[in-house]
Amino acid sequence: MAELTTLESLLEMGFGRNRAEKAVANTGNQGIEQAMDWLMEHENDPDIDEPYVPPAGNLLGGDTDQTTAGDSAAVIAEEDELYSDNPEASRRPMTEEEKREQVKRLEELMRVKQAERRERERAEEVEREKQRRRQGQELQQIRQKIQDDEMKKLADQRRREKMEDKLARQRVKDKIARDREERAQKFGGGAPPSTVTSTQPTPPSLSSPTGQGPPPTKKEYDESRIQVRLLDGSTINAVFKAQEPLAAVRVYVQMNSNTPEGQDFTLLSPYPRHVYTELDMEKPLKELGLVPSAVLVVTKKSEGSAL
């Protein structure tokens, strides 16, 4: 019984001639198993069904002088393995029953190979999915760390800004307190002479007609009632000393209005219109003509400068 060649076996199993020829050629005619492995690995190639063009001097099914010693040895080994129990098999052609039996064995072998390939592909897919999940977790951890660092930076920046603003307000309060202490010391320094001489309180009482004018005037102009119109249209009222700087009014507005934190603003008088500068903030209310009463308007610094 003559053995079917690898090419004939593939054709008997239903493979197209072009595919079968390419499988035999690309595996060096090493046997049916290698040919089927090649077909399964390359079944999705775009040119799998194109006719096979053998290289010069290498024709499938050619004379033995075109076959390498390795190919011949492989074919002989395959023949010995399949038909070692029947030395007379190579001397007669195979019957239809023997052909069907051989094709059946080859198909079973192909099913085993396909099952092994599917199992291998599933294992590779599972490993790729694990790798993808590991990479996703690592990427998520990196993103979370970057986000945490950004939030920490923002929190530190906000704390610094609040601290700087708090220190600036404290400096203004300290300056106002120092001004009040200086005025108190100044007015307190003039008081002792009047207490030392017991006769000095009597002269003002003697000239009551002339002395009555200045006290009301001093009492009236010693304080200033300020009404401030805020950005949202509401107003607040407060009484300040005539000698307090305009900065005291601005601090009072900052602490008692709904002006957004960090919003830079300035003050202006509507009638006559006058925008107060940083130099004006150090001047007393009396010097700025805001005594005994005045109306001021809060405006954004950019708007005030444009006006």
Side-chain angles (χ1 to χ4, degrees):
M1 178 183 65
E3 175 204 359
L4 288 177
T5 64
T6 302
L7 179 60
E8 292 172 346
S9 299
L10 294 175
L11 294 176
E12 286 288 337
M13 295 173 65
F15 290 104
R17 175 167 290 274
N18 292 336
R19 292 192 180 200
E21 290 178 352
K22 287 184 177 180
V24 173
N26 285 284
T27 57
N29 198 16
Q30 294 294 317
I32 189 66
E33 292 188 21
Q34 288 82 352
M36 285 193 299
D37 287 341
W38 188 91
L39 285 170
M40 285 187 290
E41 291 177 1
H42 296 272
E43 62 181 353
N44 295 323
D45 290 356
D47 60 346
I48 188 65
D49 291 317
E50 294 181 4
Y52 173 70
V53 180
N58 184 15
L59 299 177
L60 291 176
D63 297 333
T64 56
D65 55 354
Q66 297 295 329
T67 306
T68 61
D71 294 342
S72 299
V75 173
I76 293 171
E78 184 179 356
E79 291 176 353
D80 292 342
E81 182 181 356
L82 292 175
Y83 305 105
S84 60
D85 57 345
N86 190 5
E88 300 294 330
S90 59
R91 299 178 183 177
R92 61 182 177 85
M94 295 178 65
T95 64
E96 291 298 325
E97 182 66 24
E98 289 172 338
K99 288 182 179 180
R100 286 195 297 269
E101 189 67 25
Q102 184 177 5
V103 170
K104 184 178 179 180
R105 288 197 305 271
L106 294 176
E107 289 177 348
E108 181 64 25
L109 178 62
M110 185 174 183
R111 283 193 293 270
V112 172
K113 292 289 185 180
Q114 289 176 341
E116 292 176 353
R117 180 186 178 187
R118 287 194 296 269
E119 184 64 26
R120 185 171 62 252
E121 289 177 348
R122 280 197 297 268
E124 291 175 353
E125 181 63 26
V126 170
E127 185 61 29
R128 285 195 296 269
E129 180 64 18
K130 290 181 180 178
Q131 183 69 18
R132 186 187 65 81
R133 291 184 180 181
R134 284 195 297 269
Q135 292 176 351
Q137 291 175 354
E138 292 174 358
L139 182 60
Q140 181 65 25
Q141 291 174 357
I142 293 173
R143 289 177 178 174
Q144 185 64 37
K145 185 177 184 303
I146 293 174
Q147 185 177 2
D148 293 343
D149 293 342
E150 290 295 330
M151 294 298 294
K152 185 177 180 181
K153 289 180 181 179
L154 288 176
D156 293 341
Q157 183 178 355
R158 288 175 181 173
R159 281 195 294 270
R160 287 195 300 271
E161 291 175 352
K162 288 183 179 180
M163 182 61 67
E164 292 173 358
D165 185 61
K166 184 178 180 180
L167 292 175
R169 292 186 179 185
Q170 187 62 39
R171 286 195 295 269
V172 174
K173 289 181 181 180
D174 293 344
K175 187 176 186 309
I176 293 173
R178 287 195 301 270
D179 292 342
R180 287 179 177 176
E181 290 178 1
E182 291 175 359
R183 288 196 300 272
Q185 292 175 359
K186 182 177 180 180
F187 295 149
S194 61
T195 55
V196 171
T197 57
S198 60
T199 58
Q200 286 185 2
T202 54
S205 61
L206 293 175
S207 58
S208 58
T210 58
Q212 289 296 332
T217 303
K218 179 181 284 187
K219 183 178 181 180
E220 180 182 358
Y221 292 101
D222 189 48
E223 294 179 343
S224 175
R225 184 176 298 276
I226 304 294
Q227 182 185 76
V228 182
R229 188 165 71 240
L230 304 177
L231 293 172
D232 60 357
S234 60
T235 59
I236 55 175
N237 297 280
V239 177
F240 300 88
K241 296 295 184 180
Q243 295 298 325
E244 287 190 80
L246 184 59
V249 180
R250 183 166 65 178
V251 172
Y252 181 84
V253 172
Q254 288 176 338
M255 302 180 65
N256 296 274
S257 70
N258 56 358
T259 303
E261 186 175 351
Q263 174 69 58
D264 198 4
F265 66 90
T266 187
L267 301 171
L268 63 84
S269 294
Y271 305 106
R273 181 177 295 277
H274 176 72
V275 179
Y276 295 101
T277 63
E278 292 297 329
L279 295 177
D280 294 332
M281 294 298 165
E282 304 297 328
K283 297 179 180 180
L285 299 177
K286 187 173 183 180
E287 181 179 343
L288 295 173
L290 301 178
V291 177
S293 63
V295 175
L296 299 177
V297 178
V298 175
T299 181
K300 295 180 181 178
K301 199 158 191 178
S302 58
E303 297 177 359
S305 60
L307 291 173

